[in-house]
Amino acid sequence: MAENRPLVAADLRALSQAPLFAQLGPAELEAVAATGSVRRYDHGALLFSAGDEADAFYAVAEGAVHLFALTPEGDQSLVTIIGSGESFAEAALFGAGRFPVNAEVQGGTTLIRIDGRLFLKALRDNKTLGFHMLDSLLARQVFLIHEIHHLKAHSPSQRLASYLLSLIESDAWNGRGRLPLRKQLVASRIGIEPESLSRALRRLDEAGVVCAGDHVVVEDEALLRAYCASFGEADLLR
Amino acid sequence: MAENRPLVAADLRALSQAPLFAQLGPAELEAVAATGSVRRYDHGALLFSAGDEADAFYAVAEGAVHLFALTPEGDQSLVTIIGSGESFAEAALFGAGRFPVNAEVQGGTTLIRIDGRLFLKALRDNKTLGFHMLDSLLARQVFLIHEIHHLKAHSPSQRLASYLLSLIESDAWNGRGRLPLRKQLVASRIGIEPESLSRALRRLDEAGVVCAGDHVVVEDEALLRAYCASFGEADLLR
DNA sequence: GCCAATTCTTGACCAGCGTCAAGGGACGCC
DNA sequence: GGCGTCCCTTGACGCTGGTCAAGAATTGGC
């Protein structure tokens, strides 16, 4: 595992993709970059555990990180997956100063570690930075509230359908071929068991989704979209 | 319905209870108050609809507001209830500038309307204000993520148990007598149908919850807490 | 106090999810 | 190639949450 190193141009580019920093100008981006360091991790590395004291937050330059809680039996319960160009654990900056979940690095992953104390100082020195952070946190909050509503008001199959569509929309998947995630993780993401996912996926053929092994094809995006909404709620967002 | 009026001392006290403003000093509180106006609403008044252009956000001085989405059939699907001393719709400040949900006033309610443009200006002029806002938004985000995980990993009865405990902890209920909310709304809050709530409530007698009509008694708080955790996840928060 | 409207409960029924268990398939390792 | 491991699928089964429908209890208005 490589040592920490300062950020280079490619890292800056990754940072600028993070929603948290997307709207920053070059000067502000530099200010953030100055508080960070880069390090590569091996697959399976435990970045931090729930309850650990937190003095930094992270952005993913390349790869992915799983945030998860633990069941009493010791199983992982996936909270979310952080992909390239996303930041996480910002909550550690304030408040209790402890990480609320566990974080495990997936594959070979390069992370940008942003020092909490230094970043807070940068926040003090740079008004715009705080503004953009507020903006993106509020947007994320709307997303989370939507997610909660979605879990309450939609059936597992509908949630699966929505998830497939969101994969396509975010360009993480093109609508045909193997999914970018293990099905286990997809199941965890939408809040069901792997067995239920198999059945839900097969039931989606009535919405134009063909599934053979790990090869999935969305034949009619509009039909799938309609399937999400039927019996469901009017779209909350936008 | 009364006209708008400026904030008086009692309103300032309500503002200072809002998590968003709880840590503010008197001077900063004044700065926020200067951007606000107060108005009383009748029961059932529609404060705003999803998609409406947003130029302000609100804090509840007294009473409550329901945030809800609409089903295709026109039914309300409760997203959350905003009580005394809470603020909402801050997301309207930035981003699309549109409200993401509908808001209906409950009972006779007094709201503090905080003008968006003025508040943004106050944010620019006052560093600490932005800091505290970041702090509380991040805390709320942790709460929402916990909520999502909770919905995925716990059974409806466990969610009900958690909800009862949260009512007690927030002093909204003392653990015996009538619930502070209609059961319809409780059901919506934990993401089930009213009929299922009736059954879940009766099933909770094995966790020391006695239910007769609208009179509910939590006999053993510790037992109920254990019920939440069994088969569930390790506590995410703290 | 009475009636009407709403809310809550109960029952019956069915579809769907979780669970347990077994089987198939892909992949890596030797 | 053969083997083991891990992941995914399938089947069977019990449970429970959603739905529909009817009845009880509560509320509010007059």
Side-chain angles (χ1 to χ4, degrees):
Chain A
M1 200 175 295
E3 278 305 292
N4 291 357
R5 61 163 174 79
L7 279 72
V8 297
D11 305 319
L12 272 181
R13 226 173 302 127
L15 257 195
S16 70
Q17 284 178 355
L20 201 57
F21 305 125
Q23 302 170 328
L24 296 185
E28 291 142 1
L29 211 54
E30 272 297 343
V32 174
T35 72
S37 62
V38 178
R39 180 166 166 179
R40 189 162 180 84
Y41 293 83
D42 291 333
H43 174 79
L46 191 65
L47 192 60
F48 53 75
S49 300
D52 282 1
E53 233 169 272
D55 57 357
F57 70 99
Y58 297 86
V60 179
E62 201 215 326
V65 174
H66 287 187
L67 302 188
F68 63 94
L70 285 179
T71 68
E73 299 84 25
D75 295 336
Q76 293 188 7
S77 163
L78 193 65
V79 172
T80 188
I81 297 176
I82 313 291
S84 263
E86 290 181 279
S87 54
F88 62 102
E90 301 92 346
L93 281 180
F94 300 89
R98 299 190 173 274
F99 293 114
V101 292
N102 309 280
E104 187 185 280
V105 174
Q106 299 299 304
T109 286
T110 305
L111 295 182
I112 303 171
R113 177 187 184 279
I114 297 174
D115 185 85
R117 291 241 307 284
L118 292 178
F119 185 76
L120 284 178
K121 186 167 176 307
L123 264 183
R124 266 191 294 275
D125 296 344
N126 189 324
K127 280 186 220 161
T128 338
L129 185 53
F131 251 67
H132 291 313
M133 197 159 167
L134 276 177
D135 191 356
S136 66
L137 281 180
L138 284 168
R140 196 192 286 183
Q141 181 176 301
V142 170
F143 173 81
L144 290 175
I145 289 177
H146 177 255
E147 187 90 2
I148 289 174
H149 183 247
H150 199 64
L151 278 168
K152 285 183 187 172
H154 294 267
S155 74
S157 326
Q158 287 176 320
R159 300 207 297 271
L160 172 58
S162 297
Y163 181 67
L164 291 179
L165 287 171
S166 76
L167 280 181
I168 295 177
E169 270 163 25
S170 70
D171 275 333
W173 187 53
N174 68 3
R176 44 190 60 247
R178 22 193 342 167
L179 296 172
L181 268 74
R182 280 226 283 303
K183 293 199 174 170
Q184 236 183 49
L185 297 176
V186 175
S188 184
R189 172 68 180 69
I190 63 179
I192 59 178
E193 300 301 310
E195 294 95 327
S196 297
L197 176 62
S198 279
R199 289 162 190 145
L201 207 41
R202 192 137 25 78
R203 204 172 312 138
L204 275 191
D205 62 356
E206 69 181 58
V209 175
V210 179
C211 166
D214 59 358
H215 195 90
V216 180
V217 178
V218 174
E219 306 224 304
D220 186 344
E221 216 171 300
L223 187 61
L224 194 55
R225 214 173 293 278
Y227 183 86
C228 293
S230 64
F231 298 99
E233 315 302 326
D235 238 9
L236 263 179
L237 295 172
R238 263 138 269 277
Chain B
M1 201 175 293
E3 277 307 293
N4 291 357
R5 61 162 174 79
L7 278 71
V8 298
D11 304 319
L12 271 181
R13 225 174 303 128
L15 256 196
S16 70
Q17 284 178 354
L20 200 59
F21 305 125
Q23 302 170 329
L24 295 185
E28 290 142 3
L29 210 54
E30 272 298 342
V32 174
T35 72
S37 63
V38 178
R39 180 164 167 181
R40 188 160 183 82
Y41 292 83
D42 292 334
H43 174 79
L46 190 65
L47 192 60
F48 53 76
S49 299
D52 281 1
E53 234 170 274
D55 56 358
F57 70 99
Y58 297 87
V60 178
E62 202 215 326
V65 174
H66 287 188
L67 301 188
F68 62 94
L70 285 179
T71 67
E73 299 84 26
D75 296 335
Q76 292 187 7
S77 163
L78 194 64
V79 172
T80 188
I81 297 176
I82 312 292
S84 264
E86 292 181 276
S87 54
F88 61 102
E90 301 91 347
L93 281 180
F94 299 89
R98 299 191 173 273
F99 293 114
V101 293
N102 310 280
E104 186 184 280
V105 174
Q106 300 299 304
T109 285
T110 305
L111 295 181
I112 303 170
R113 176 187 186 281
I114 297 173
D115 185 84
R117 292 240 309 283
L118 291 178
F119 185 75
L120 284 179
K121 186 166 177 309
L123 264 184
R124 266 191 293 273
D125 295 344
N126 189 325
K127 280 186 222 162
T128 338
L129 186 53
F131 252 65
H132 291 311
M133 197 159 167
L134 276 178
D135 191 356
S136 65
L137 282 180
L138 284 168
R140 197 192 285 182
Q141 181 177 302
V142 170
F143 173 81
L144 291 174
I145 289 177
H146 177 255
E147 188 91 0
I148 289 174
H149 183 247
H150 199 64
L151 279 167
K152 284 184 188 172
H154 294 267
S155 73
S157 326
Q158 287 176 319
R159 301 207 297 270
L160 173 57
S162 297
Y163 181 68
L164 291 178
L165 288 170
S166 76
L167 280 180
I168 295 177
E169 270 162 25
S170 70
D171 275 333
W173 188 52
N174 67 3
R176 44 190 62 247
R178 22 194 344 169
L179 296 172
L181 269 75
R182 282 229 215 63
K183 294 199 172 170
Q184 234 178 23
L185 298 176
V186 175
S188 183
R189 172 68 178 68
I190 63 178
I192 59 177
E193 300 301 310
E195 295 96 326
S196 297
L197 176 63
S198 280
R199 292 163 191 144
L201 208 41
R202 191 133 28 75
R203 204 173 310 144
L204 275 191
D205 62 357
E206 69 180 56
V209 175
V210 179
C211 167
D214 59 358
H215 194 89
V216 180
V217 178
V218 174
E219 305 224 305
D220 186 345
E221 215 171 301
L223 188 61
L224 194 56
R225 214 173 293 278
Y227 182 85
C228 293
S230 64
F231 299 98
E233 314 302 325
D235 240 9
L236 262 179
L237 292 172
R238 263 140 267 275

